[in-house]
């Protein structure tokens, strides 16, 4: 058995010794830390009983750093040295960070000596800081809170991330935990954590069931569909709106206060106070029918207003309706009907607004789950998982801390290995990736499962081959084949493939690391490091070859159909000579030469392509009513 058992020195599970582990919800607006004590999970509050830590960090000119509520208070007087919503910057390049809207801080545009762009840094009075550093300050504060409350050092933490976070964003999150001195037991998807908090993974009928997680936070909205698959939650689809949340509700109320209190455009500090009053009114209206708004403005003017639930709901209804479009989208993307969803979990502080619950319930046509505090539910789920991973539940069937020793992937055109699950991923795990067909009318697909870190399949280890047959004939690139890699807690890999349009399925079970000794694994890893740069070259070359072959095949197919109709003899021979030029470079040329030849052929055939396209549009429109055409276009 080559699966590596993770056990740190001095940390083997001793019986009856409770190991301190926490779950952390590292949110855009708010962060929380939770743990399992005497068998039940709970969020850890500060000395005033406040469970939430605002995700805000302030850097003072005296090198002081404040985190949480203290930092949020400083935001009013010193906004430029206060960093909020740092989660949006995690794992982003300088370019991507510059393109983000709503960032009040200044970015440093320094380059290093080699002229390379550096990681984006935010300018503060306490020095320039990276997103990872800022985030690590928040984690540090949570760690401290936990260690004080629990009276000991933490073994580790499960930190949650949005399901849509990519590798760079996940890695950045891990880096910030390491910087905070936290051992990450696992990163967990936020929607999965919420589902675990409700115990949806442990229900009798869990296998195959589909749950929807609706998460409306301070500034973002996410909706995810999960399917329980052999003890693992598989993320079927995610959608959302990165600029929609409780902040927008606050702004609606501010507008209402301004027009009813006859206040004109105001300075930033008045604006802050208006926003605070709005937020407090909003929170009151989640439990009361009316909220009193009373505020003294700078010019000695006092405003006293009363906002009732009906007026409030009327003004925010359009915002809430906007969350339903992503809900429709996830269902469509996952190919799931509303009626198949067996539970809808409400997550995020803004789902405390009764109208949000009501509208979501109406949309999914079922009661939504709200028993667990929606702003704590993610941290609670993470805590439950952390408790298991720390080894406090030896009888749990999820306690395995195994990792995949070598990446698992699939062979794509050109003999390239596309990694689906990266090495060192903790199991159990399920990951899906979409592939498509290469040829027009292709009705079968050969799937080759490989293991290893190298770019070329020939340098990896072959694990299994199987075929997906009976794909309905479609044009190349139209079929959507979803390949799911799933490794259960015992390290057994199942690979399945499904063609989404037709629903055709095929699958195979594989023992991923069977027969590989630790030594072999080490050799394969060493090889991959030594050959990294060569591998990149061969990958580029292989990719160019595939591209070139595809272009040639497409041209051949087109010319066979209608060359005589759209090309005169000269044009035809010109195209054919470009074609043979490209054919020659495929075998002997470098990646750049092939690329060049592809471009020349594409340029040379653009006129022909256009003529064909125009003709096909004319054919499509001929004899059809406007309605029919609109329907086609909407498809
Ligand atoms: P995030 O996941 O973005 O960090 P949260 O889930 O903590 O954010 O949600 C924060 C939002 O929830 C804020 O806009 C806050 O005003 C809102 N909120 C918190 N409590 C309530 C409440 N009782 N009623 C309505 N909104 C609330
Ligand atoms: Mg959240």
């Amino acid at each position: 058995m080559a699966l590596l058992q993770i056990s740190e020195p001095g940390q083997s599970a001793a019986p009856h010794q409770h190991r301190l582990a926490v779950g952390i919800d590292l949110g855009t607006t708010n962060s929380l830390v939770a743990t399992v004590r005497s068998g039940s999970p709970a969020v850890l509050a500060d000395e005033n009983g406040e469970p939430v830590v605002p995700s805000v960090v302030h850097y003072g000119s005296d090198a002081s750093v404040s985190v949480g509520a203290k930092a949020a208070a400083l935001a009013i007087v010193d906004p430029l040295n206060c960093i909020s919503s740092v989660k949006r910057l995690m794992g982003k390049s300088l370019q991507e960070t510059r393109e983000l809207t709503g960032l009040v801080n200044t970015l440093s545009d320094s380059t290093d000596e080699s002229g390379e762009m550096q990681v984006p840094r935010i300018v503060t009075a306490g020095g320039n800081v990276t997103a990872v550093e800022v985030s690590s300050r928040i984690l540090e504060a949570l760690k401290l809170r936990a260690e004080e409350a629990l009276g000991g050092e933490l073994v580790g933490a499960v930190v949650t991330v949005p399901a849509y976070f990519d590798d760079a964003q996940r890695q950045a999150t891990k880096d910030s935990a390491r910087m905070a001195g936290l051992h990450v037991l696992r990163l967990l998807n936020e929607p999965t954590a919420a589902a675990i908090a409700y115990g949806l993974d442990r229900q009798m009928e869990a296998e195959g069931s589909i749950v929807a997680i609706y998460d409306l936070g301070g500034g973002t909205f996410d909706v995810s569909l999960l399917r329980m698959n052999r003890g693992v939650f598989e993320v079927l689809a995610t959608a959302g709106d990165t600029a929609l949340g409780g902040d927008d509700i606050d702004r609606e109320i501010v507008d209402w206060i301004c027009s009813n209190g006859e206040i004109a455009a105001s300075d930033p500090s008045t604006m802050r106070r208006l926003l605070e009053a709005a937020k407090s009114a909003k929170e009151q209206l989640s439990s009361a029918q009316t909220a009193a708004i009373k505020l003294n403005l700078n010019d000695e003017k006092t405003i006293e207003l009363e906002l009732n639930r009906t007026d409030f709901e009327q003004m925010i209804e359009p915002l809430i309706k906007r969350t339903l479009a992503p809900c429709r989208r996830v269902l469509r993307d996952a190919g799931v009907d509303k009626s198949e969803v067996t539970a809808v979990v409400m997550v995020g502080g803004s789902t405390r607004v009764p109208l949000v619950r009501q509208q979501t319930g109406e949309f999914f046509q079922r009661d939504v789950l709200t028993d667990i505090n929606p702003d704590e539910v993610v941290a609670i789920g993470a805590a439950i998982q952390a408790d298991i991973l720390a080894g406090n539940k030896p009888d749990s069937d999820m306690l395995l801390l195994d990792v995949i020793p070598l990446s698992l992937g699939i062979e794509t055109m050109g003999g390239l290995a596309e990694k689906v699950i990266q090495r060192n991923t903790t199991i159990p795990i399920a990951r899906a990736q979409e592939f498509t067909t290469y040829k027009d009318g292709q009705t079968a697909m050969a799937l080759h499962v490989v293991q290893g870190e190298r770019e070329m399949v020939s340098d990896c280890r072959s694990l299994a081959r199987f075929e997906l047959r009976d794909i309905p004939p479609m044009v190349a690139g139209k079929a959507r084949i979803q390949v799911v890699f799933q490794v259960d807690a015992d390290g057994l890999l199942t690979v399945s493939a499904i063609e989404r349009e037709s629903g055709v399925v095929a699958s195979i079970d594989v023992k991923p690391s069977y027969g590989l000794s630790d030594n072999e694994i080490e050799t394969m890893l060493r090889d991959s490091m030594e050959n990294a740069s060569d591998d990149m070259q061969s990958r580029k070359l292989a990719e160019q070859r595939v591209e070139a072959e595809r272009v040639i095949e497409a041209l051949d197919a087109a010319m066979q159909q209608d060359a005589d109709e759209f090309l005169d003899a000269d044009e035809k021979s010109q195209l054919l000579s470009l074609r043979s030029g490209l054919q020659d470079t495929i075998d002997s040329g470098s990646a750049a030469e092939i690329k060049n030849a592809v471009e020349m052929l594409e340029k040379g055939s653009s006129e022909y392509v256009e003529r064909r396209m125009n003709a096909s549009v004319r054919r499509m429109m001929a004899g059809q009513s406007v309605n029919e055409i609109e329907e086609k276009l909407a498809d």
Side-chain angles (χ1 to χ4, degrees):
M1 182 79 163
L3 286 174
L4 307 174
Q5 302 282 337
I6 297 180
S7 167
E8 291 199 343
Q11 290 191 349
S12 59
H16 309 304
Q17 187 198 332
H18 186 81
R19 286 143 38 93
L20 304 178
V22 294
I24 292 179
D25 171 6
L26 188 58
T28 313
T29 320
N30 294 317
S31 298
L32 297 95
V33 56
T35 194
V36 174
R37 272 201 280 200
S38 334
S40 49
V43 167
L44 300 170
D46 69 3
E47 61 274 13
N48 304 319
E50 178 55 57
V52 162
V53 176
S55 304
V56 186
V57 182
H58 175 264
Y59 290 85
S61 53
D62 54 352
S64 64
V65 180
S66 333
V67 180
K70 227 184 195 172
L74 287 167
I76 302 174
V77 289
D78 190 17
L80 285 181
N81 293 313
C82 247
I83 300 161
S84 48
S85 303
V86 69
K87 190 170 177 179
R88 303 202 303 146
L89 314 186
M90 296 291 276
K92 299 266 188 230
S93 67
L94 189 57
Q95 186 60 30
E96 289 167 325
T97 310
R98 283 201 179 116
E99 283 162 6
L100 285 174
T101 53
L103 187 70
V104 296
N105 310 92
T106 314
L107 288 175
S108 126
D109 51 6
S110 57
T111 46
D112 71 12
E113 278 152 22
S114 68
E116 293 260 318
M117 287 287 208
Q118 288 176 333
V119 194
R121 286 178 174 275
I122 299 161
V123 178
T124 78
N128 296 351
V129 291
T130 63
V132 168
E133 282 167 326
V134 177
S135 176
S136 87
R137 294 294 188 164
I138 300 168
L139 288 169
E140 214 170 59
L142 296 167
K143 175 177 183 257
L144 200 70
R145 173 182 290 196
E147 289 181 341
E148 271 169 13
L150 303 175
E153 232 182 89
L154 300 181
V155 163
V158 167
V159 181
T160 60
V161 290
Y164 60 78
F165 254 27
D166 63 22
D167 278 343
Q169 291 167 301
R170 285 169 198 265
Q171 194 54 53
T173 307
K174 274 191 174 170
D175 290 347
S176 60
R178 184 163 350 107
M179 204 176 271
L182 264 180
H183 171 61
V184 177
L185 296 167
R186 184 180 292 182
L187 293 181
L188 185 65
N189 287 329
E190 287 163 11
T192 306
I196 289 174
Y198 276 99
L200 298 176
D201 52 330
R202 281 174 282 120
Q203 289 175 358
M204 287 292 285
E205 67 283 11
E207 193 53 36
S209 65
I210 295 173
V211 299
I213 315 289
Y214 177 106
D215 181 349
L216 190 60
T220 54
F221 171 64
D222 298 306
V223 56
S224 325
L225 279 188
L226 309 178
R227 181 171 53 198
M228 191 60 182
N229 212 339
R230 295 193 184 196
V232 187
F233 277 112
E234 177 193 345
V235 179
L236 291 180
T238 65
D241 188 331
T242 51
L244 179 61
D247 298 345
D248 299 283
I249 299 182
D250 300 346
R251 280 192 284 271
E252 287 290 330
I253 302 179
V254 168
D255 288 349
W256 181 88
I257 299 176
C258 287
S259 65
N260 286 272
E262 288 165 358
I263 307 169
S266 38
D267 57 288
S269 113
T270 311
M271 192 59 197
R272 278 270 171 193
R273 301 186 41 221
L274 281 167
L275 278 169
E276 260 166 45
K279 190 166 168 174
S280 141
K282 168 186 77 176
E283 294 182 4
Q284 285 174 50
L285 285 169
S286 288
S287 46
Q289 290 299 325
T290 60
I293 299 167
K294 190 172 173 197
L295 111 148
N296 291 312
L297 292 177
N298 296 348
D299 54 3
E300 307 296 297
K301 181 175 172 171
T302 305
I303 292 178
E304 271 185 77
L305 292 167
E306 194 178 80
L307 178 57
N308 67 46
R309 173 90 65 89
T310 319
D311 290 344
F312 170 63
E313 294 191 334
Q314 204 176 352
M315 76 186 149
I316 63 164
E317 189 166 341
L319 286 176
I320 299 169
K321 285 269 191 282
R322 269 173 60 196
T323 65
L324 300 181
C327 290
R328 250 173 246 124
R329 210 180 318 138
V330 272
L331 289 167
R332 198 183 53 215
D333 287 352
V336 163
D337 190 77
K338 266 182 210 175
S339 60
E340 297 172 67
V341 175
T342 55
V344 179
V345 180
M346 297 307 261
V347 180
S350 301
T351 63
R352 291 184 183 228
V353 173
L355 188 66
V356 172
R357 299 177 171 188
Q358 184 204 320
Q359 298 262 325
T360 316
E362 273 171 24
F363 176 84
F364 284 101
Q365 290 157 1
R366 58 168 35 257
D367 287 342
V368 295
L369 294 174
T370 56
D371 299 335
I372 304 178
N373 200 331
D375 35 40
E376 298 183 352
V377 63
V378 168
I380 299 254
I384 294 173
Q385 184 83 350
D387 191 45
I388 295 167
L389 292 176
N392 290 328
K393 293 197 126 169
D395 50 347
S396 162
D397 50 6
M398 276 176 74
L399 90 173
L400 280 172
L401 259 177
D402 288 337
V403 295
I404 291 168
L406 291 168
S407 300
L408 297 167
I410 204 139
E411 172 169 355
T412 59
M413 290 303 299
L416 293 174
E418 180 70 29
K419 297 189 181 83
V420 178
I421 301 182
Q422 298 285 342
R423 115 189 163 78
N424 271 345
T425 305
T426 342
I427 58 171
I429 172 92
R431 275 242 166 103
Q433 199 142 318
E434 279 203 6
F435 297 91
T436 190
T437 44
Y438 172 74
K439 274 190 187 165
D440 284 348
Q442 184 175 341
T443 57
M445 210 181 202
L447 292 134
H448 182 195
V449 183
V450 297
Q451 179 180 44
E453 306 314 302
R454 303 285 300 272
E455 298 280 348
M456 305 299 299
V457 163
S458 50
D459 296 319
C460 291
R461 183 167 183 272
S462 168
L463 289 179
R465 291 175 188 274
F466 69 112
E467 278 177 0
L468 181 63
R469 302 192 152 275
D470 303 323
I471 303 173
M474 286 177 242
V475 292
K478 177 92 197 309
R480 289 170 60 204
I481 288 113
Q482 189 184 51
V483 176
V484 181
F485 273 58
Q486 210 176 294
V487 184
D488 68 15
D490 295 320
L492 183 77
L493 170 71
T494 307
V495 182
S496 57
I498 176 165
E499 200 292 300
R500 306 282 290 263
E501 308 277 10
S502 60
V504 181
V505 190
S507 80
I508 191 167
D509 286 344
V510 204
K511 268 257 179 221
S513 44
Y514 180 78
L516 275 192
S517 70
D518 287 358
N519 272 345
E520 281 175 291
I521 291 173
E522 203 167 288
T523 314
M524 286 177 84
L525 286 179
R526 206 172 321 108
D527 280 355
S528 90
M529 279 190 267
E530 281 165 7
N531 294 300
S533 130
D534 282 357
D535 276 8
M536 276 315 288
Q537 294 304 328
S538 5
R539 176 176 259 271
K540 268 200 202 127
L541 183 59
E543 277 171 355
Q544 278 308 333
R545 283 185 178 148
V546 172
E547 175 63 14
E549 271 157 14
R550 185 165 44 217
V551 169
I552 287 179
E553 266 184 63
L555 180 73
D556 288 353
M559 286 184 68
Q560 205 178 355
Q561 221 174 21
D562 54 25
D564 296 332
E565 192 180 335
F566 296 114
L567 295 170
D568 62 31
D570 266 2
E571 290 169 329
K572 202 164 150 183
S573 80
Q574 237 169 18
L575 261 185
L576 287 176
S577 97
L578 285 173
R579 180 197 180 285
S580 70
L582 176 58
Q583 184 72 63
D584 290 344
T585 58
I586 288 183
D587 299 325
S588 55
S590 69
E593 282 163 351
I594 302 176
K595 186 163 180 242
N596 193 27
V598 166
E599 280 168 5
M600 275 168 54
L601 180 58
E602 276 175 344
K603 217 153 131 207
S605 60
S606 63
E607 179 93 350
Y608 171 44
V609 170
E610 202 179 315
R611 287 178 204 158
R612 297 188 81 224
M613 204 121 88
N614 288 342
S616 98
V617 169
R618 271 199 303 278
R619 264 198 304 277
M620 184 182 113
M621 311 248 276
Q624 288 186 346
S625 71
V626 173
N627 266 348
E628 278 172 310
I629 292 167
E630 277 176 353
E631 269 165 34
K632 277 231 168 84
L633 292 175
D635 265 355

